[in-house]
Amino acid sequence: MSIELRGSGDLRRISRELRRMDDQELKKRFRKELRAAAAPLVPRVRQSIRSIPSGRGYTPEGLRGALSKAVKLEVKTAGRQAGIAIRVDGRKMPSHMKSLPSMVEGKKRWRHPVFGHREVWVSQTNQPYFYRVVRAAGPASRRAVSRVLDGITRDIS
């Protein structure tokens, strides 16, 4: 699962121009500045995950900790998928919990036994914990990314 903030085609256009110029230092600075612009969102998403209530069928502390550790920031500046993504990566979860990030967010149905009793199952209530945080911080993040794009555009020109 990922949350992406994209600046229309500007990011792809600048990435394409940087590849054409083949200036490794400028490419490196571009990726570093994009990462720095989006980095404040990662602790917010982690805190949101840690604040998921426990009890009455909600997640135990071990799941909150594992979900929090699975949060990562991805910056891609090549190809059609150029963008910035904050991902709660299921591949970083323990082997029996790899699909839980999408279940907690409400993308999949989440059923589980009540306190380990295999005869009694309940459906988990899903809440948009991850998206809520990023939507609130979205405008400030978009402005930060726009400043980075404007600075690199000036350097390219």
Side-chain angles (χ1 to χ4, degrees), residues 47-115:
Q47 182 57 39
S48 173
I49 291 167
R50 285 188 207 104
S51 70
I52 295 172
S54 61
R56 294 199 58 219
Y58 284 91
T59 59
E61 184 56 40
L63 175 57
R64 286 192 297 256
L67 283 168
S68 177
K69 289 177 186 175
V71 174
K72 69 178 188 174
L73 174 65
E74 291 180 352
V75 175
K76 295 180 183 179
T77 57
R80 301 187 84 166
Q81 297 298 317
I84 301 165
I86 299 189
R87 179 179 304 270
V88 182
D89 192 357
R91 295 173 298 182
K92 288 188 167 190
M93 297 290 289
S95 62
H96 60 285
M97 297 181 172
K98 296 201 181 288
S99 63
L100 286 178
S102 63
M103 290 178 180
V104 171
E105 192 59 25
K107 301 299 178 192
K108 293 182 181 177
R109 185 172 143 178
W110 185 359
R111 291 187 69 236
H112 59 89
V114 177
F115 297 109

Side-chain angles (χ1 to χ4, degrees), residues 2-153:
S2 67
I3 301 164
E4 298 180 16
L5 302 171
R6 294 177 190 237
S8 60
D10 295 341
L11 186 60
R12 284 191 301 266
R13 182 180 50 78
I14 290 171
S15 295
R16 205 172 18 249
E17 185 64 27
L18 286 173
R19 266 194 317 277
R20 189 184 64 73
M21 290 174 55
D22 199 32
D23 184 350
Q24 296 302 321
E25 288 300 316
L26 194 55
K27 284 183 194 178
K28 184 178 177 181
R29 193 181 103 216
F30 181 49
R31 284 190 299 272
K32 185 177 180 181
E33 288 179 11
L34 284 175
R35 184 171 290 282
L41 291 175
V42 174
R44 290 181 183 176
V45 170
R46 286 185 174 148
Q47 182 57 39
S48 173
I49 291 167
R50 285 188 207 104
S51 70
I52 295 172
S54 61
R56 294 199 58 219
Y58 284 91
T59 59
E61 184 56 40
L63 175 57
R64 286 192 297 256
L67 283 168
S68 177
K69 289 177 186 175
V71 174
K72 69 178 188 174
L73 174 65
E74 291 180 352
V75 175
K76 295 180 183 179
T77 57
R80 301 187 84 166
Q81 297 298 317
I84 301 165
I86 299 189
R87 179 179 304 270
V88 182
D89 192 357
R91 295 173 298 182
K92 288 188 167 190
M93 297 290 289
S95 62
H96 60 285
M97 297 181 172
K98 296 201 181 288
S99 63
L100 286 178
S102 63
M103 290 178 180
V104 171
E105 192 59 25
K107 301 299 178 192
K108 293 182 181 177
R109 185 172 143 178
W110 185 359
R111 291 187 69 236
H112 59 89
V114 177
F115 297 109
H117 298 133
R118 298 284 177 186
E119 298 84 34
V120 182
W121 287 71
V122 295
S123 291
Q124 180 72 40
T125 304
N126 300 314
Q127 298 290 327
Y129 297 106
F130 311 144
Y131 290 113
R132 193 174 44 202
V133 172
V134 174
R135 277 195 192 116
S141 297
R142 284 188 197 93
R143 283 191 299 273
V145 169
S146 291
R147 281 193 297 272
V148 170
L149 294 176
D150 291 342
I152 293 294
T153 302

